[in-house]
């Protein structure tokens, strides 16, 4: 059974800092790896999707990497802003496109 | 266009009662998923529909939980004899058929069982 772990559970950084969120998974037989953002009381918004054959994906200030062999993915956020404050979830996609989520990293970017 | 919608946004019920949670997927999306998110946890898979049929219901915790999608569009998650441990946010997602592309999530229904 796939298990997804995210470290750290919570993170507070001052505005402007670059930061890295970590995600690890136990079963490397995944179709892809996704990073989502969740704001309080809201649903999930997909940020980046990395196919199993890819190594990284970039969107604006976000860059996600994938190393299937080691079971790791990272989300890099450059020049953080207060509007980046949210919970970030990674999820692996298995059979039938079922997502297995980590417990999330709660990010706070302070002024 | 319209995203995934879920109703109600909040539901408070008493232990032992029956509840129904509704999901309206994005038009044309044949795949539909239900997840449950407990406080401080990531969402956990419950059930997956492809069209009208439940292709995978392995995540349903017990036989008090049931879901239907009779016309291949709207889905209803039904919970009988609710327990306090059922309190969570229930999320619905939809996607186009085929491939492992992204799922689009609704805002969720927060269920509180007193």
């Amino acid at each position: 059974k796939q298990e997804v772990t995210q470290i750290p559970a919570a993170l507070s950084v001052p505005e402007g800092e670059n930061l890295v969120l970590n995600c690890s998974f136990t079963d490397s037989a995944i179709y892809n790896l996704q990073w989502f953002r969740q704001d309080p009381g809201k649903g999930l918004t997909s940020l980046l999707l990395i196919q199993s054959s890819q190594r990284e994906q970039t969107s604006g200030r976000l860059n996600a990497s994938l190393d299937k062999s080691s079971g790791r993915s990272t989300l890099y956020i450059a020049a953080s802003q207060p509007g980046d404050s949210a919970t970030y979830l990674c999820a692996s996609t298995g059979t039938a496109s079922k997502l297995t989520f980590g417990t999330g990293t709660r990010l706070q970017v302070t002024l | 266009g319209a995203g995934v919608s879920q109703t109600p946004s909040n539901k408070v019920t008493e232990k032992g009662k029956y509840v129904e949670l509704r999901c309206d997927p994005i038009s044309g999306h044949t795949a539909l998923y239900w997840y449950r998110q407990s406080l401080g946890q990531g969402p956990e898979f419950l059930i997956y529909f492809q069209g009208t049929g439940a292709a995978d219901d392995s995540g349903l915790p017990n036989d008090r939980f049931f879901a239907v999608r009779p016309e291949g569009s709207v889905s209803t998650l039904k919970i009988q004899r609710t327990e306090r441990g059922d309190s969570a946010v229930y999320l619905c997602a939809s996607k186009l058929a085929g491939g492992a592309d992204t799922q689009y999530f609704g805002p969720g229904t927060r269920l509180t069982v007193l």
Side-chain angles (χ1 to χ4, degrees):
Chain A
K1 179 187 174 186
Q2 178 73 285
E3 293 183 6
V4 179
T5 304
Q6 290 188 247
I7 295 173
L11 182 63
S12 181
V13 300
E15 182 180 13
E17 274 205 5
N18 304 325
L19 58 103
V20 175
L21 307 182
N22 296 291
C23 172
S24 61
F25 47 94
T26 55
D27 186 353
S28 62
I30 61 172
Y31 290 99
N32 60 48
L33 191 290
Q34 297 185 60
W35 284 91
F36 291 86
R37 170 183 173 138
Q38 186 172 35
D39 294 280
K42 302 286 183 61
L44 280 67
T45 302
S46 179
L47 298 172
L48 289 165
L49 183 153
I50 313 173
Q51 300 289 355
S52 61
S53 58
Q54 297 175 322
R55 297 284 292 184
E56 66 177 333
Q57 279 288 325
T58 298
S59 176
R61 294 182 294 108
L62 305 180
N63 176 276
S65 68
L66 174 64
D67 184 343
K68 275 185 58 178
S69 61
S70 66
R72 295 179 186 275
S73 176
T74 62
L75 178 66
Y76 175 83
I77 303 177
S80 58
Q81 303 171 357
D84 295 332
S85 299
T87 295
Y88 290 81
L89 294 156
C90 71
S92 66
T93 303
T95 56
S97 297
K98 292 188 298 184
L99 298 176
T100 301
F101 286 88
T103 52
T105 293
R106 191 169 63 255
L107 173 66
Q108 183 174 12
V109 181
T110 58
L111 291 170
Chain B
V4 178
S5 61
Q6 293 186 245
T7 54
S9 55
N10 280 283
K11 176 70 176 179
V12 179
T13 190
E14 294 180 342
K15 180 176 178 295
K17 299 290 188 182
Y18 167 83
V19 297
E20 290 189 353
L21 311 178
R22 176 186 169 110
C23 171
D24 282 83
I26 293 172
S27 178
H29 282 191
T30 59
L32 185 147
Y33 301 78
W34 284 98
Y35 296 86
R36 178 170 73 171
Q37 186 174 24
S38 300
L39 191 64
Q41 302 296 314
E44 293 181 316
F45 169 79
L46 294 177
I47 186 169
Y48 155 56
F49 287 90
Q50 182 57 49
T52 61
D56 187 339
D57 64 357
S58 61
L60 295 178
N62 52 59
D63 61 6
R64 295 187 298 106
F65 289 74
F66 189 71
V68 296
R69 195 185 185 200
E71 298 179 358
S73 174
V74 171
S75 176
T76 305
L77 178 66
K78 308 180 180 191
I79 310 174
Q80 299 177 323
R81 305 183 304 280
T82 52
E83 300 177 356
R84 292 192 179 88
D86 299 335
S87 296
V89 175
Y90 290 81
L91 295 165
C92 174
S94 70
K95 69 182 278 291
L96 291 169
D101 54 349
T102 194
Q103 297 176 20
Y104 295 87
F105 282 79
T109 293
R110 180 175 298 279
L111 174 66
T112 303
V113 182
L114 301 176

